[in-house]
Amino acid sequence: LAKTTQPISMDSYEGQEVNITCSHNNIATNDYITWYQQFPSQGPRFIIQGYKTKVTNEVASLFIPADRKSSTLSLPRVSLSDTAVYYCLVGDIKGKLIFGQGTTLQVKP
Amino acid sequence: DVKVTQSSRYLVKRTGEKVFLECVQDMDHENMFWYRQDPGLGLRLIYFSYDVKMKEKGDIPEGYSVSREKKERFSLILESASTNQTSMYLCASSRDREAFFGQGTRLTVV
């Protein structure tokens, strides 16, 4: 499974757009990129998934360049409730999910 | 509404005890997982099951075993609990890489 690298922590202010980048240099042809969000005392929650180019849903956007060696999760106009840990995962159709340390996002008023 | 249920929210066990953590999902998912989460270490995969009676080791399987006799149930077994297994344990099930997590079991081994 491809290993991922993402920043340990990020700070932002309410109303700003936040971009969290994940590196996955060894991504395989069949691998998808998936992002999860985790609040304290809860299990992670699926946010978004993509294979290439751009994916958007009601929560976030995911940008994947042509070489797929990185991806960027974009959270538009964050609020205090977006303070959480964000995980980037890379894996194939078999479905084994390996989480790393994630990125702790702190949104300030 | 999808549901993954872990048998206990909090558990206190003594060193050397055999401990069973149970997880049940009602979504007919093939894949099920057991993770532990410790401060500063993120979520670490203990075991993964992709079908009944099929399992695969994760990153930290030592000291643990698992059982999946029925599709909906995945059990984590600590054969002889030790204090370094004090942790938050999270069970999940998934289809197509979208995983659903239980509420977690905070296990303390004394």
Side-chain angles (χ1 to χ4, degrees):
Chain A
L1 293 168
K3 183 181 163 76
T4 61
T5 303
Q6 51 184 125
I8 294 294
S9 64
M10 293 181 70
D11 289 340
S12 182
Y13 290 93
E14 282 191 292
Q16 288 187 332
E17 177 184 77
V18 171
N19 296 307
I20 306 173
T21 297
C22 179
S23 298
H24 26 81
N25 291 318
N26 297 320
I27 190 168
T29 304
N30 294 330
D31 286 347
Y32 278 72
I33 299 151
T34 312
W35 285 79
Y36 283 77
Q37 174 191 55
Q38 185 180 25
F39 298 115
S41 302
Q42 294 184 25
R45 181 178 72 107
F46 174 93
I47 302 176
I48 198 165
Q49 178 176 268
Y51 183 79
K52 61 180 179 180
T53 63
K54 177 184 173 183
V55 179
T56 296
N57 62 21
E58 64 278 4
V59 176
S61 294
L62 178 59
F63 298 92
I64 305 167
D67 66 5
R68 303 198 332 118
K69 293 184 183 299
S70 67
S71 58
T72 299
L73 176 73
S74 181
L75 305 171
R77 300 180 60 81
V78 294
S79 64
L80 296 176
S81 63
D82 291 315
T83 293
V85 180
Y86 293 83
Y87 296 94
C88 166
L89 284 74
V90 172
D92 64 15
I93 196 71
K94 190 178 177 184
K96 189 173 182 179
L97 300 174
I98 302 290
F99 290 76
Q101 290 194 43
T103 298
T104 299
L105 172 66
Q106 180 70 50
V107 179
K108 301 175 182 177
Chain B
D1 199 17
V2 298
K3 205 161 187 179
V4 178
T5 303
Q6 295 183 228
S7 53
S8 304
R9 192 69 194 264
Y10 300 95
L11 212 51
V12 180
K13 295 292 181 180
R14 295 195 180 277
T15 302
E17 274 193 79
K18 189 168 186 175
V19 181
F20 293 85
L21 302 184
E22 306 286 348
C23 176
V24 177
Q25 52 102 355
D26 64 359
M27 295 165 282
D28 201 37
H29 287 165
E30 278 76 31
N31 295 336
M32 295 190 75
F33 308 80
W34 274 106
Y35 297 90
R36 65 176 281 178
Q37 185 163 34
D38 302 287
L41 296 178
L43 266 79
R44 292 183 291 168
L45 180 64
I46 304 172
Y47 268 100
F48 161 54
S49 171
Y50 49 92
D51 203 347
V52 174
K53 299 194 179 185
M54 306 304 287
K55 63 187 178 186
E56 197 171 303
K57 291 180 180 178
D59 294 329
I60 50 164
E62 296 79 19
Y64 304 94
S65 62
V66 289
S67 172
R68 189 144 180 226
E69 296 296 318
K70 293 185 178 181
K71 191 174 187 180
E72 67 270 19
R73 187 180 296 269
F74 192 34
S75 303
L76 179 70
I77 304 153
L78 287 66
E79 296 290 342
S80 177
S82 64
T83 54
N84 63 12
Q85 292 178 309
T86 291
S87 186
M88 170 66 83
Y89 289 88
L90 288 158
C91 173
S93 70
S94 79
R95 176 179 289 147
D96 296 335
R97 294 167 296 276
E98 181 174 357
F100 299 88
F101 282 79
Q103 77 278 27
T105 297
R106 184 163 293 283
L107 172 67
T108 302
V109 183
V110 297

